[in-house]
């Protein structure tokens, strides 16, 4: 395979472990920007009972999210088969996506500024006939060597399309069957005379 990434057909693989660290960093940033910006003034200006009440609501949510991040990371599994990509994820609500190579039309690399610092990106796989134009049908998240993986997938796509093009079309097969039946009929008519 290309570069530093190796994908074996039929073997499962997971996102980079850096993805878990990235999610924790997002969590800390969300706490700082989303909670501390209003909670610190609340502690200073509101009665202590109000601050403690709000803390008893927020703290279990924060603990739950901190617990959920590694569970979610462990639930993400990808697998390449001969004909398709399979992606599974979900802690409580499991989601499995299957994308045949021959339906893939585009693969976008999505990378935010923090993910870029970690060297991570997501590959958003778009397919022909997917109903939501703005969304991707599958996302392979937490990829370190994303350009290499994108090239590998596109190689699978090209090989799949070449295999489809090599298969005779149904019309061609029907035409060949008709031609062969006509030839057999002509041979029988010559051998037995027209009836």
């Amino acid at each position: 395979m290309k570069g530093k990434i190796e994908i074996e057909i039929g073997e499962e693989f997971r996102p980079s472990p850096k993805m878990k660290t990235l999610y924790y960093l997002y969590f800390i940033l969300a706490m700082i920007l989303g909670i501390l910006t209003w909670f610190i003034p609340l502690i200073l200006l509101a009665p202590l009972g109000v601050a403690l009440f709000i803390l008893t609501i927020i703290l279990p949510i924060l603990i739950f999210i901190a617990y959920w991040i590694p569970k979610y990371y462990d639930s993400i599994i990808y697998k390449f088969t001969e004909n398709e990509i399979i992606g599974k994820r979900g802690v409580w609500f499991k989601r499995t996506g299957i994308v045949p190579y021959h339906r893939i039309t585009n693969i976008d690399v999505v990378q935010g500024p923090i993910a870029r610092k970690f060297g991570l990106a997501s590959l958003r796989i778009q397919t022909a006939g997917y109903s939501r134009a703005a969304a991707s049908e599958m996302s392979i998240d937490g990829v370190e060597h994303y350009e290499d993986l994108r090239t590998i997938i596109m190689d699978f796509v090209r090989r799949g399309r070449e295999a489809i093009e090599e298969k005779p079309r149904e019309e061609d097969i029907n035409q060949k069957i008709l031609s062969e039946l006509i030839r057999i009929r002509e041979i029988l008519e010559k051998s037995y005379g027209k009836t």
Side-chain angles (χ1 to χ4, degrees), residues 78-89:
Y78 303 107
K79 182 165 79 170
F80 292 145
T81 68
E82 292 289 333
N83 302 314
E84 60 202 9
I85 302 171
I86 301 170
K88 298 178 183 180
R89 65 178 67 208

Side-chain angles (χ1 to χ4, degrees), residues 149-166:
L149 184 58
R150 183 174 187 242
T151 302
I152 290 168
I153 295 170
M154 290 311 293
D155 287 345
F156 286 144
V157 170
R158 280 185 212 94
R159 275 190 252 144
R161 287 190 179 138
E162 288 170 3
I164 287 173
E165 289 170 4
E166 288 174 7

Side-chain angles (χ1 to χ4, degrees), residues 56-173:
T56 59
I57 294 171
I58 293 174
L59 194 58
I61 294 170
L62 296 177
I63 291 170
F64 172 78
I65 293 170
Y67 171 78
W68 177 83
I69 289 172
K71 296 290 184 191
Y72 180 71
Y73 171 81
D74 290 338
S75 76
I76 302 172
I77 299 170
Y78 303 107
K79 182 165 79 170
F80 292 145
T81 68
E82 292 289 333
N83 302 314
E84 60 202 9
I85 302 171
I86 301 170
K88 298 178 183 180
R89 65 178 67 208
V91 178
W92 292 282
F93 299 97
K94 304 286 185 183
R95 180 177 156 202
T96 300
I98 299 173
V99 177
Y101 297 126
H102 71 273
R103 286 190 44 223
I104 295 174
T105 57
N106 190 34
I107 301 174
D108 294 328
V109 175
V110 179
Q111 187 180 48
I114 299 172
R116 190 175 308 117
K117 290 290 182 190
F118 280 86
L120 298 176
S122 294
L123 298 180
R124 303 284 163 87
I125 299 171
Q126 298 174 353
T127 61
Y130 192 58
S131 60
R132 294 185 298 169
S136 61
E137 187 160 346
M138 179 182 283
S139 179
I140 300 177
D141 299 317
V143 180
E144 284 187 83
H145 306 288
Y146 45 89
E147 288 297 336
D148 293 337
L149 184 58
R150 183 174 187 242
T151 302
I152 290 168
I153 295 170
M154 290 311 293
D155 287 345
F156 286 144
V157 170
R158 280 185 212 94
R159 275 190 252 144
R161 287 190 179 138
E162 288 170 3
I164 287 173
E165 289 170 4
E166 288 174 7
K167 289 180 184 175
R169 294 188 331 216
E170 188 175 327
E171 299 164 3
D172 295 341
I173 292 171

Side-chain angles (χ1 to χ4, degrees), residues 38-65:
W38 60 266
F39 190 69
I40 291 174
L42 181 77
I43 291 173
L44 297 173
L45 301 174
L48 184 62
V50 172
L52 287 175
F53 176 74
I54 293 174
L55 184 63
T56 59
I57 294 171
I58 293 174
L59 194 58
I61 294 170
L62 296 177
I63 291 170
F64 172 78
I65 293 170

